[in-house]
Amino acid sequence: MILILLGAPGAGKGTQAQRLEDAHGLIQLSTGDMLRAAVKAETEVGLKAKEVMNKGQLVSDDIMVGIISERLDQSDCKNGVILDGFPRTEAQAEALDQLLNDKGLSLNAVIEMKTDDAVLVERITGRYTCAKCGAGYHDSFLKPAVEGVCDKCGGTEFTRRSDDKAETVKSRLEAYHNQTAPLLPYYKDKGILKQVDGMAEIDEVTHQIEAVIKQI
Ligand code: ADP
Ligand code: ADP
Ligand code: ZN
């Protein structure tokens, strides 16, 4: 199964992708996580991406398509993947169609997580992750059961992203509306676009996504 979660920054893609991994044995392919790992490791891609990401702009299509194509070839992806944060431009969507075709694969569904921009600043500025296992949390909306201790792995160190500041959210939202939102009609025309209410509570969003998956 190949799913795309499509939504604005902060819409809840990563949160839901982590749940789908656990529930369906799928692999979450987050291009944002891959880029952050490359930045940390100071690879060639990381050095190119760092500044662009901190400005809230998009990394070049060539780099992104290369990263995702290589990742899809790894054996752990054979049971299926959730694409989280890719594609983000029409050029990436077209390249994805081509490369899935070449690999004998196809998209099962593109799930739009619909949100109002007004809630996204609070979601993004309150976001943090477990440094050990990557589980995502929120200062108000998704706290660990025991304060300061990760529910999943018991880790006690957490990190915040350097681009999760109110100043960068504006350019990230602009990038979403200008460059990514045109993918909605692109996938609608192919008959694979589904929608869920990204404004609902986290469990309710999961429920709506599960309902979509049952139909495929
Ligand atoms: P994305 O991957 O789309 O950028 P995340 O899944 O990281 O978004 O969610 C952004 C932040 O908002 C996280 O801190 C997460 O815990 C929180 N969050 C996710 N979904 C919801 C929701 N439906 N309601 C409230 N907060 C949410
Ligand atoms: P968010 O959770 O806010 O949606 P991501 O973690 O997906 O953000 O991405 C963080 C940053 O990494 C983006 O602002 C962008 O600079 C870069 N990035 C991630 N995925 C892509 C992509 N498919 N194309 C271009 N840039 C990307
Ligand atoms: Zn953890």
Short mmCIF file of all heavy atoms in Angstrom, two decimals, residues 43-102:
data_model
loop_
_atom_site.label_atom_id
_atom_site.label_comp_id
_atom_site.label_asym_id
_atom_site.label_seq_id
_atom_site.Cartn_x
_atom_site.Cartn_y
_atom_site.Cartn_z
N THR A 43 26.02 16.09 5.40
CA THR A 43 26.26 15.51 4.08
C THR A 43 26.12 16.62 3.03
O THR A 43 25.68 17.73 3.34
CB THR A 43 25.21 14.42 3.75
OG1 THR A 43 23.92 15.07 3.69
CG2 THR A 43 25.17 13.34 4.81
N GLU A 44 26.43 16.26 1.79
CA GLU A 44 26.33 17.24 0.70
C GLU A 44 24.90 17.79 0.59
O GLU A 44 24.69 19.00 0.49
CB GLU A 44 26.73 16.55 -0.61
CG GLU A 44 27.17 17.50 -1.70
CD GLU A 44 27.55 16.73 -2.95
OE1 GLU A 44 28.25 15.70 -2.81
OE2 GLU A 44 27.13 17.13 -4.03
N VAL A 45 23.92 16.87 0.65
CA VAL A 45 22.51 17.29 0.61
C VAL A 45 22.18 18.18 1.81
O VAL A 45 21.55 19.23 1.67
CB VAL A 45 21.58 16.05 0.58
CG1 VAL A 45 20.14 16.44 0.90
CG2 VAL A 45 21.65 15.35 -0.76
N GLY A 46 22.66 17.77 2.97
CA GLY A 46 22.39 18.53 4.19
C GLY A 46 22.92 19.95 4.10
O GLY A 46 22.24 20.90 4.51
N LEU A 47 24.12 20.09 3.57
CA LEU A 47 24.70 21.43 3.47
C LEU A 47 23.89 22.32 2.53
O LEU A 47 23.70 23.50 2.78
CB LEU A 47 26.17 21.33 3.00
CG LEU A 47 27.11 20.65 4.01
CD1 LEU A 47 28.49 20.43 3.42
CD2 LEU A 47 27.20 21.44 5.32
N LYS A 48 23.38 21.70 1.46
CA LYS A 48 22.56 22.48 0.52
C LYS A 48 21.21 22.84 1.12
O LYS A 48 20.64 23.89 0.85
CB LYS A 48 22.31 21.66 -0.76
CG LYS A 48 23.47 21.66 -1.72
CD LYS A 48 23.05 21.00 -3.03
CE LYS A 48 24.27 20.72 -3.89
NZ LYS A 48 24.09 19.58 -4.77
N ALA A 49 20.65 21.91 1.93
CA ALA A 49 19.27 22.08 2.40
C ALA A 49 19.14 23.01 3.61
O ALA A 49 18.09 23.64 3.80
CB ALA A 49 18.68 20.71 2.76
N LYS A 50 20.18 23.10 4.42
CA LYS A 50 20.07 23.74 5.73
C LYS A 50 19.46 25.14 5.68
O LYS A 50 18.46 25.42 6.34
CB LYS A 50 21.47 23.79 6.37
CG LYS A 50 21.44 24.27 7.79
CD LYS A 50 22.82 24.16 8.41
CE LYS A 50 22.77 24.73 9.83
NZ LYS A 50 24.07 24.64 10.48
N GLU A 51 20.07 25.98 4.86
CA GLU A 51 19.63 27.37 4.79
C GLU A 51 18.21 27.50 4.25
O GLU A 51 17.39 28.25 4.78
CB GLU A 51 20.59 28.15 3.89
CG GLU A 51 20.47 29.62 4.13
CD GLU A 51 21.83 30.23 4.46
OE1 GLU A 51 22.54 29.68 5.31
OE2 GLU A 51 22.12 31.24 3.82
N VAL A 52 17.93 26.73 3.19
CA VAL A 52 16.60 26.75 2.57
C VAL A 52 15.53 26.38 3.59
O VAL A 52 14.48 27.02 3.69
CB VAL A 52 16.56 25.73 1.40
CG1 VAL A 52 15.21 25.74 0.72
CG2 VAL A 52 17.67 26.00 0.40
N MET A 53 15.79 25.35 4.38
CA MET A 53 14.82 24.90 5.38
C MET A 53 14.61 25.96 6.46
O MET A 53 13.49 26.22 6.87
CB MET A 53 15.29 23.60 6.03
CG MET A 53 15.26 22.43 5.08
SD MET A 53 16.07 20.98 5.75
CE MET A 53 14.83 20.37 6.89
N ASN A 54 15.70 26.58 6.89
CA ASN A 54 15.55 27.59 7.93
C ASN A 54 14.81 28.83 7.46
O ASN A 54 14.25 29.57 8.26
CB ASN A 54 16.90 27.94 8.55
CG ASN A 54 17.22 26.97 9.69
OD1 ASN A 54 16.32 26.50 10.39
ND2 ASN A 54 18.49 26.66 9.86
N LYS A 55 14.80 29.05 6.14
CA LYS A 55 14.02 30.17 5.59
C LYS A 55 12.57 29.76 5.35
O LYS A 55 11.75 30.57 4.93
CB LYS A 55 14.64 30.63 4.26
CG LYS A 55 15.86 31.53 4.47
CD LYS A 55 16.17 32.27 3.17
CE LYS A 55 17.53 31.86 2.66
NZ LYS A 55 17.84 32.17 1.29
N GLY A 56 12.27 28.48 5.52
CA GLY A 56 10.89 28.02 5.29
C GLY A 56 10.57 27.86 3.82
O GLY A 56 9.40 27.85 3.43
N GLN A 57 11.62 27.70 3.01
CA GLN A 57 11.38 27.49 1.58
C GLN A 57 11.56 26.01 1.24
O GLN A 57 11.94 25.21 2.09
CB GLN A 57 12.36 28.35 0.77
CG GLN A 57 12.09 29.83 0.99
CD GLN A 57 13.20 30.72 0.45
OE1 GLN A 57 14.22 30.24 -0.04
NE2 GLN A 57 13.00 32.01 0.56
N LEU A 58 11.32 25.67 -0.03
CA LEU A 58 11.40 24.27 -0.43
C LEU A 58 12.76 23.93 -1.02
O LEU A 58 13.33 24.69 -1.80
CB LEU A 58 10.30 23.94 -1.45
CG LEU A 58 8.86 24.03 -0.95
CD1 LEU A 58 7.90 23.57 -2.04
CD2 LEU A 58 8.65 23.22 0.32
N VAL A 59 13.25 22.76 -0.66
CA VAL A 59 14.49 22.22 -1.22
C VAL A 59 14.21 21.79 -2.67
O VAL A 59 13.07 21.45 -3.00
CB VAL A 59 14.97 21.04 -0.32
CG1 VAL A 59 16.17 20.34 -0.91
CG2 VAL A 59 15.25 21.53 1.10
N SER A 60 15.25 21.79 -3.51
CA SER A 60 15.02 21.58 -4.95
C SER A 60 14.40 20.21 -5.26
O SER A 60 14.66 19.22 -4.58
CB SER A 60 16.33 21.75 -5.73
OG SER A 60 17.09 20.57 -5.61
N ASP A 61 13.60 20.21 -6.32
CA ASP A 61 12.91 18.98 -6.73
C ASP A 61 13.90 17.86 -7.03
O ASP A 61 13.66 16.71 -6.66
CB ASP A 61 12.05 19.26 -7.97
CG ASP A 61 10.87 20.18 -7.65
OD1 ASP A 61 10.38 20.14 -6.50
OD2 ASP A 61 10.45 20.94 -8.55
N ASP A 62 15.02 18.17 -7.69
CA ASP A 62 16.00 17.13 -8.04
C ASP A 62 16.49 16.39 -6.81
O ASP A 62 16.55 15.17 -6.78
CB ASP A 62 17.25 17.76 -8.70
CG ASP A 62 16.95 18.20 -10.11
OD1 ASP A 62 15.82 17.90 -10.58
OD2 ASP A 62 17.82 18.82 -10.74
N ILE A 63 16.84 17.17 -5.79
CA ILE A 63 17.35 16.55 -4.56
C ILE A 63 16.26 15.66 -3.95
O ILE A 63 16.49 14.51 -3.58
CB ILE A 63 17.79 17.63 -3.53
CG1 ILE A 63 19.05 18.34 -4.03
CG2 ILE A 63 18.01 17.02 -2.14
CD1 ILE A 63 19.60 19.38 -3.06
N MET A 64 15.04 16.20 -3.86
CA MET A 64 13.97 15.47 -3.18
C MET A 64 13.60 14.18 -3.91
O MET A 64 13.39 13.15 -3.29
CB MET A 64 12.72 16.35 -3.04
CG MET A 64 12.92 17.61 -2.23
SD MET A 64 13.87 17.42 -0.72
CE MET A 64 12.93 16.20 0.16
N VAL A 65 13.52 14.25 -5.23
CA VAL A 65 13.14 13.06 -6.00
C VAL A 65 14.24 12.00 -5.87
O VAL A 65 13.94 10.81 -5.69
CB VAL A 65 12.88 13.44 -7.49
CG1 VAL A 65 12.70 12.20 -8.33
CG2 VAL A 65 11.66 14.36 -7.58
N GLY A 66 15.49 12.43 -5.87
CA GLY A 66 16.61 11.50 -5.70
C GLY A 66 16.52 10.79 -4.36
O GLY A 66 16.66 9.56 -4.27
N ILE A 67 16.26 11.56 -3.30
CA ILE A 67 16.19 10.98 -1.95
C ILE A 67 15.07 9.93 -1.88
O ILE A 67 15.26 8.83 -1.37
CB ILE A 67 15.90 12.09 -0.90
CG1 ILE A 67 17.12 13.00 -0.72
CG2 ILE A 67 15.49 11.49 0.43
CD1 ILE A 67 16.89 14.11 0.32
N ILE A 68 13.90 10.27 -2.39
CA ILE A 68 12.75 9.38 -2.22
C ILE A 68 12.90 8.14 -3.10
O ILE A 68 12.54 7.03 -2.71
CB ILE A 68 11.41 10.13 -2.46
CG1 ILE A 68 10.32 9.59 -1.54
CG2 ILE A 68 10.93 10.07 -3.88
CD1 ILE A 68 10.36 10.04 -0.15
N SER A 69 13.46 8.31 -4.27
CA SER A 69 13.64 7.17 -5.16
C SER A 69 14.58 6.14 -4.54
O SER A 69 14.29 4.93 -4.52
CB SER A 69 14.18 7.66 -6.51
OG SER A 69 14.43 6.55 -7.33
N GLU A 70 15.68 6.62 -3.98
CA GLU A 70 16.63 5.71 -3.32
C GLU A 70 16.00 5.01 -2.12
O GLU A 70 16.19 3.81 -1.91
CB GLU A 70 17.82 6.51 -2.78
CG GLU A 70 19.02 6.49 -3.68
CD GLU A 70 20.17 7.27 -3.06
OE1 GLU A 70 20.38 7.17 -1.83
OE2 GLU A 70 20.83 7.99 -3.83
N ARG A 71 15.23 5.78 -1.36
CA ARG A 71 14.64 5.22 -0.14
C ARG A 71 13.61 4.13 -0.47
O ARG A 71 13.54 3.11 0.22
CB ARG A 71 13.99 6.36 0.67
CG ARG A 71 13.44 5.94 2.02
CD ARG A 71 14.54 5.53 2.98
NE ARG A 71 14.00 4.97 4.24
CZ ARG A 71 13.65 3.71 4.43
NH1 ARG A 71 13.75 2.84 3.43
NH2 ARG A 71 13.17 3.29 5.59
N LEU A 72 12.84 4.34 -1.54
CA LEU A 72 11.81 3.37 -1.91
C LEU A 72 12.40 2.02 -2.33
O LEU A 72 11.73 0.99 -2.27
CB LEU A 72 10.95 3.92 -3.07
CG LEU A 72 9.85 4.91 -2.70
CD1 LEU A 72 9.27 5.55 -3.96
CD2 LEU A 72 8.74 4.23 -1.88
N ASP A 73 13.67 2.04 -2.74
CA ASP A 73 14.31 0.80 -3.17
C ASP A 73 14.77 -0.06 -2.00
O ASP A 73 15.16 -1.21 -2.18
CB ASP A 73 15.53 1.11 -4.06
CG ASP A 73 15.09 1.58 -5.43
OD1 ASP A 73 13.94 1.27 -5.82
OD2 ASP A 73 15.88 2.27 -6.10
N GLN A 74 14.77 0.50 -0.80
CA GLN A 74 15.24 -0.28 0.34
C GLN A 74 14.19 -1.32 0.75
O GLN A 74 12.98 -1.08 0.62
CB GLN A 74 15.63 0.65 1.51
CG GLN A 74 16.91 1.40 1.15
CD GLN A 74 17.25 2.52 2.11
OE1 GLN A 74 16.67 2.65 3.18
NE2 GLN A 74 18.22 3.34 1.71
N SER A 75 14.67 -2.47 1.24
CA SER A 75 13.79 -3.64 1.38
C SER A 75 12.67 -3.43 2.40
O SER A 75 11.60 -4.02 2.27
CB SER A 75 14.61 -4.87 1.73
OG SER A 75 15.26 -4.63 2.96
N ASP A 76 12.89 -2.58 3.41
CA ASP A 76 11.84 -2.40 4.42
C ASP A 76 10.59 -1.73 3.86
O ASP A 76 9.53 -1.75 4.49
CB ASP A 76 12.38 -1.60 5.63
CG ASP A 76 12.85 -0.22 5.25
OD1 ASP A 76 13.21 0.00 4.08
OD2 ASP A 76 12.86 0.67 6.12
N CYS A 77 10.68 -1.15 2.67
CA CYS A 77 9.52 -0.46 2.09
C CYS A 77 8.58 -1.40 1.35
O CYS A 77 7.53 -0.98 0.86
CB CYS A 77 9.98 0.64 1.13
SG CYS A 77 10.82 1.98 1.97
N LYS A 78 8.94 -2.68 1.27
CA LYS A 78 8.16 -3.55 0.38
C LYS A 78 6.74 -3.83 0.87
O LYS A 78 5.87 -4.15 0.08
CB LYS A 78 8.91 -4.84 0.05
CG LYS A 78 9.13 -5.77 1.21
CD LYS A 78 9.86 -7.03 0.72
CE LYS A 78 9.99 -8.05 1.81
NZ LYS A 78 10.67 -7.55 3.03
N ASN A 79 6.48 -3.67 2.18
CA ASN A 79 5.10 -3.86 2.67
C ASN A 79 4.24 -2.62 2.50
O ASN A 79 3.04 -2.65 2.77
CB ASN A 79 5.10 -4.23 4.15
CG ASN A 79 5.64 -5.63 4.36
OD1 ASN A 79 5.52 -6.48 3.48
ND2 ASN A 79 6.23 -5.87 5.51
N GLY A 80 4.85 -1.53 2.11
CA GLY A 80 4.07 -0.32 1.89
C GLY A 80 4.60 0.87 2.66
O GLY A 80 5.29 0.70 3.68
N VAL A 81 4.28 2.04 2.17
CA VAL A 81 4.82 3.27 2.77
C VAL A 81 3.75 4.35 2.89
O VAL A 81 2.75 4.34 2.17
CB VAL A 81 6.01 3.84 1.94
CG1 VAL A 81 7.17 2.85 1.91
CG2 VAL A 81 5.59 4.23 0.54
N ILE A 82 4.02 5.26 3.81
CA ILE A 82 3.21 6.48 3.93
C ILE A 82 4.14 7.63 3.59
O ILE A 82 5.13 7.85 4.29
CB ILE A 82 2.73 6.70 5.38
CG1 ILE A 82 2.11 5.44 5.94
CG2 ILE A 82 1.77 7.88 5.46
CD1 ILE A 82 2.49 5.24 7.40
N LEU A 83 3.83 8.34 2.55
CA LEU A 83 4.66 9.49 2.19
C LEU A 83 4.17 10.70 2.98
O LEU A 83 3.01 11.09 2.89
CB LEU A 83 4.59 9.75 0.69
CG LEU A 83 5.15 8.62 -0.19
CD1 LEU A 83 4.83 8.89 -1.66
CD2 LEU A 83 6.65 8.49 0.01
N ASP A 84 5.07 11.25 3.79
CA ASP A 84 4.73 12.37 4.68
C ASP A 84 5.65 13.54 4.31
O ASP A 84 6.84 13.51 4.61
CB ASP A 84 4.96 11.88 6.13
CG ASP A 84 5.16 13.01 7.14
OD1 ASP A 84 4.92 14.18 6.80
OD2 ASP A 84 5.56 12.70 8.28
N GLY A 85 5.08 14.51 3.60
CA GLY A 85 5.90 15.67 3.22
C GLY A 85 6.44 15.58 1.80
O GLY A 85 7.19 16.45 1.37
N PHE A 86 6.06 14.56 1.08
CA PHE A 86 6.45 14.39 -0.32
C PHE A 86 5.28 13.76 -1.06
O PHE A 86 4.70 12.82 -0.51
CB PHE A 86 7.69 13.48 -0.44
CG PHE A 86 8.16 13.31 -1.86
CD1 PHE A 86 9.13 14.15 -2.38
CD2 PHE A 86 7.61 12.33 -2.68
CE1 PHE A 86 9.56 14.00 -3.70
CE2 PHE A 86 8.03 12.19 -3.99
CZ PHE A 86 9.01 13.02 -4.50
N PRO A 87 4.92 14.19 -2.26
CA PRO A 87 5.47 15.32 -3.00
C PRO A 87 4.95 16.66 -2.49
O PRO A 87 3.90 16.73 -1.86
CB PRO A 87 4.98 15.05 -4.43
CG PRO A 87 3.69 14.31 -4.25
CD PRO A 87 3.87 13.48 -3.02
N ARG A 88 5.68 17.72 -2.80
CA ARG A 88 5.30 19.07 -2.37
C ARG A 88 5.19 20.03 -3.55
O ARG A 88 4.87 21.20 -3.33
CB ARG A 88 6.36 19.59 -1.42
CG ARG A 88 5.97 19.57 0.06
CD ARG A 88 7.17 20.06 0.84
NE ARG A 88 6.88 20.60 2.12
CZ ARG A 88 6.95 19.92 3.26
NH1 ARG A 88 7.20 18.63 3.25
NH2 ARG A 88 6.75 20.54 4.41
N THR A 89 5.51 19.58 -4.74
CA THR A 89 5.35 20.43 -5.94
C THR A 89 4.80 19.54 -7.06
O THR A 89 4.89 18.30 -6.98
CB THR A 89 6.71 20.98 -6.43
OG1 THR A 89 7.53 19.88 -6.84
CG2 THR A 89 7.43 21.79 -5.36
N GLU A 90 4.28 20.19 -8.11
CA GLU A 90 3.77 19.39 -9.23
C GLU A 90 4.89 18.60 -9.89
O GLU A 90 4.68 17.46 -10.30
CB GLU A 90 3.06 20.30 -10.24
CG GLU A 90 1.61 20.50 -9.86
CD GLU A 90 0.80 21.25 -10.91
OE1 GLU A 90 0.93 22.49 -10.96
OE2 GLU A 90 0.07 20.60 -11.67
N ALA A 91 6.08 19.21 -9.98
CA ALA A 91 7.21 18.49 -10.59
C ALA A 91 7.53 17.23 -9.79
O ALA A 91 7.80 16.17 -10.36
CB ALA A 91 8.43 19.39 -10.67
N GLN A 92 7.45 17.32 -8.45
CA GLN A 92 7.71 16.13 -7.62
C GLN A 92 6.62 15.08 -7.83
O GLN A 92 6.89 13.88 -7.86
CB GLN A 92 7.79 16.51 -6.14
CG GLN A 92 9.03 17.31 -5.76
CD GLN A 92 9.06 17.70 -4.29
OE1 GLN A 92 8.38 17.12 -3.45
NE2 GLN A 92 9.87 18.70 -3.98
N ALA A 93 5.37 15.54 -7.96
CA ALA A 93 4.26 14.59 -8.14
C ALA A 93 4.41 13.85 -9.47
O ALA A 93 4.20 12.63 -9.54
CB ALA A 93 2.93 15.33 -8.09
N GLU A 94 4.81 14.58 -10.51
CA GLU A 94 4.99 13.94 -11.81
C GLU A 94 6.16 12.96 -11.77
O GLU A 94 6.08 11.85 -12.30
CB GLU A 94 5.20 15.01 -12.90
CG GLU A 94 3.88 15.69 -13.26
CD GLU A 94 4.07 17.03 -13.98
OE1 GLU A 94 5.21 17.36 -14.36
OE2 GLU A 94 3.05 17.73 -14.14
N ALA A 95 7.24 13.38 -11.11
CA ALA A 95 8.40 12.49 -11.00
C ALA A 95 8.05 11.24 -10.19
O ALA A 95 8.49 10.13 -10.51
CB ALA A 95 9.57 13.23 -10.34
N LEU A 96 7.20 11.41 -9.16
CA LEU A 96 6.79 10.25 -8.36
C LEU A 96 5.99 9.27 -9.20
O LEU A 96 6.21 8.06 -9.15
CB LEU A 96 5.97 10.72 -7.15
CG LEU A 96 5.41 9.60 -6.26
CD1 LEU A 96 6.54 8.82 -5.57
CD2 LEU A 96 4.45 10.16 -5.20
N ASP A 97 5.04 9.79 -10.00
CA ASP A 97 4.26 8.91 -10.88
C ASP A 97 5.19 8.09 -11.76
O ASP A 97 5.02 6.88 -11.92
CB ASP A 97 3.34 9.75 -11.80
CG ASP A 97 2.12 10.25 -11.05
OD1 ASP A 97 1.81 9.71 -9.97
OD2 ASP A 97 1.48 11.21 -11.55
N GLN A 98 6.17 8.78 -12.33
CA GLN A 98 7.11 8.13 -13.25
C GLN A 98 7.92 7.05 -12.52
O GLN A 98 8.04 5.93 -13.00
CB GLN A 98 8.04 9.22 -13.82
CG GLN A 98 9.00 8.71 -14.88
CD GLN A 98 8.27 8.23 -16.13
OE1 GLN A 98 7.44 8.95 -16.68
NE2 GLN A 98 8.53 6.99 -16.53
N LEU A 99 8.42 7.42 -11.35
CA LEU A 99 9.30 6.43 -10.70
C LEU A 99 8.53 5.25 -10.12
O LEU A 99 9.02 4.13 -10.11
CB LEU A 99 10.29 7.09 -9.73
CG LEU A 99 9.92 7.71 -8.41
CD1 LEU A 99 9.93 6.66 -7.32
CD2 LEU A 99 10.94 8.78 -8.09
N LEU A 100 7.29 5.49 -9.67
CA LEU A 100 6.48 4.35 -9.20
C LEU A 100 6.17 3.43 -10.38
O LEU A 100 6.25 2.20 -10.27
CB LEU A 100 5.18 4.84 -8.55
CG LEU A 100 5.32 5.53 -7.18
CD1 LEU A 100 3.96 5.98 -6.67
CD2 LEU A 100 5.99 4.61 -6.15
N ASN A 101 5.85 4.04 -11.50
CA ASN A 101 5.58 3.29 -12.71
C ASN A 101 6.78 2.41 -13.09
O ASN A 101 6.65 1.22 -13.36
CB ASN A 101 5.23 4.29 -13.83
CG ASN A 101 4.64 3.60 -15.03
OD1 ASN A 101 3.77 2.76 -14.87
ND2 ASN A 101 5.16 3.92 -16.20
N ASP A 102 7.96 3.02 -13.05
CA ASP A 102 9.20 2.28 -13.38
C ASP A 102 9.44 1.13 -12.41
O ASP A 102 10.03 0.12 -12.78
CB ASP A 102 10.42 3.22 -13.31
CG ASP A 102 10.40 4.28 -14.40
OD1 ASP A 102 9.59 4.14 -15.35
OD2 ASP A 102 11.18 5.25 -14.29
#
